Amino acid sequence: MILAVDVGNTRIKAAVFEGDILVNNFVFVRKELQKNIQNILKKYKKIADLIVSSVGDVEKQLFLEFENDLKVHFISHEDPFPFVNCYSTPKTLGIDRMVLAAGATIQFPNQNRLVIDAGTCVTFDFIDENNNYLGGAITPGLRLRYESLHDYTAKLPLLTLDNPKGLIGKSTSESIHSGVVNGLVYEIDGFIDEYSARYSNFIIILTGGDTDFLAKRLKNTIFANSNFLLESLSQTFQYKNQK
Ligand SMILES: Nc1ncnc2c1ncn2[C@@H]1O[C@H](COP(=O)(O)OP(=O)(O)OP(=O)(O)O)[C@@H](O)[C@H]1O
Ligand SMILES: CC(C)(CO)[C@@H](O)C(=O)NCCC(=O)O
Ligand SMILES: [K+]
């Protein structure tokens, strides 16, 4: 059994895998990391490897105490990945994006793939059918859009994510919800349309904290899986072990 841990910009997500099967998953905040991992390890005594991918500087010391009981692996740029990295600054490419690209390459062989991760940031990653990672885009995620409207203006309130009543916002709050939610939905559909004009036949994977909220609003058909990063982390580890 393995425990995959994704240290994101806001939250930490973890999943227990038995082979390829996701047995259970967890979400927690950074300051509760150790307590949560202890509990998971107590419950699943067969866990032998803990795999960490972190978008920040790798917080090795947070995981040190577990090294007595199991092997801790930090996924890094130096690990083997199943694609050719064509990014012009490969060392600055986020580890989360590399893990997503690895998962897409392994799970969807011999086709073009677009991975959209709707988390704190929304990232787009494109891996072509020849397993070349070409790059993509980075833009603020839903919560970040609500927060930045409030943080960088005098008058705009901080709202929490909600369904827009329609296209035309008839009040301040309706205008914000329309701008943030409809805006991101049109943005994602617009990106997909532009990729479609350039590449035929590609799979679109949507993941991240806002997967379910966005999936039902997009006009394009996508493969929605909020656990895609954790599954990809487990596959990246298996790929490394086979090398
Ligand atoms: N409890 C929560 N706390 C924060 N965001 C949440 C929560 N529940 C749902 N969300 C949604 O998830 C989005 C953040 O996604 P996610 O949790 O994947 O981000 P993250 O932990 O920063 O990961 P990453 O850095 O990989 O994007 C927010 O835009 C928000 O709308
Ligand atoms: C874009 C984020 C913040 C998304 O989590 C992360 O992948 C990151 O810090 N990336 C580094 C910059 C880049 O990917 O080019
Ligand atoms: K993200």
Side-chain angles (χ1 to χ4, degrees):
M1 267 188 165
I2 70 162
L3 175 60
V5 179
D6 155 33
V7 184
N9 295 285
T10 314
R11 304 190 289 170
I12 298 176
K13 282 133 286 182
V16 177
F17 289 91
E18 172 96 75
D20 287 334
I21 309 295
L22 191 156
V23 179
N24 204 344
N25 62 342
F26 310 85
V27 185
F28 40 87
V29 293
R30 202 168 285 242
K31 67 176 198 297
E32 287 167 6
L33 175 112
Q34 272 132 322
K35 192 185 80 195
N36 277 278
I37 296 203
Q38 278 161 6
N39 289 340
I40 297 168
L41 296 179
K42 238 181 254 162
K43 191 163 172 202
Y44 298 97
K45 296 222 157 49
K46 285 197 295 173
I47 294 173
D49 298 280
L50 197 163
I51 330 301
V52 185
S53 99
S54 174
V55 291
D57 292 327
V58 185
E59 293 129 301
K60 287 212 157 97
Q61 68 293 346
L62 287 180
F63 292 91
L64 283 184
E65 67 171 279
F66 303 111
E67 286 192 318
N68 302 325
D69 308 316
L70 41 68
K71 272 196 164 157
V72 183
H73 313 261
F74 297 96
I75 299 298
S76 79
H77 290 90
E78 277 68 50
D79 284 317
F81 285 87
F83 53 82
V84 179
N85 194 338
C86 303
Y87 214 49
S88 68
T89 58
K91 292 249 149 38
T92 74
L93 178 59
I95 286 290
D96 53 346
R97 300 177 69 190
M98 292 185 70
V99 169
L100 291 167
T105 306
I106 294 166
Q107 278 197 46
F108 302 98
N110 308 316
Q111 55 193 303
N112 296 312
R113 313 92 171 166
L114 175 64
V115 185
I116 306 170
D117 182 352
T120 301
C121 293
V122 178
T123 52
F124 295 80
D125 292 293
F126 194 78
I127 312 96
D128 75 10
E129 59 193 351
N130 300 316
N131 297 344
N132 294 309
Y133 173 84
L134 301 185
I138 304 171
T139 187
L142 284 175
R143 190 176 42 77
L144 206 52
R145 291 177 193 222
Y146 280 108
E147 285 176 355
S148 55
L149 287 177
H150 172 65
D151 288 353
Y152 296 100
T153 61
K155 291 268 168 74
L156 298 184
L158 178 60
L159 302 183
T160 51
L161 179 60
D162 202 1
N163 213 4
K165 285 222 172 73
L167 178 67
I168 303 178
K170 298 197 178 98
S171 64
T172 300
S173 62
E174 281 184 28
S175 297
I176 292 174
H177 290 306
S178 177
V180 170
V181 175
N182 291 328
L184 183 59
V185 168
Y186 298 147
E187 189 177 319
I188 294 175
D189 274 326
F191 263 109
I192 294 172
D193 289 347
E194 289 299 319
Y195 275 96
S196 302
R198 289 167 178 74
Y199 295 90
S200 56
N201 166 37
F202 62 93
I203 174 125
I204 305 159
I205 302 138
L206 177 66
T207 191
D210 290 313
T211 301
D212 296 337
F213 186 85
L214 290 170
K216 49 180 181 273
R217 293 175 169 82
L218 295 172
K219 78 171 164 55
N220 285 282
T221 307
I222 45 119
F223 173 79
N225 176 1
S226 55
N227 288 321
F228 191 73
L229 180 52
L230 289 165
E231 289 176 10
S232 299
L233 193 48
S234 154
Q235 286 157 0
T236 302
F237 176 65
Q238 288 175 35
Y239 179 81
K240 177 180 167 172
N241 283 344
Q242 285 157 12
K243 282 262 131 181

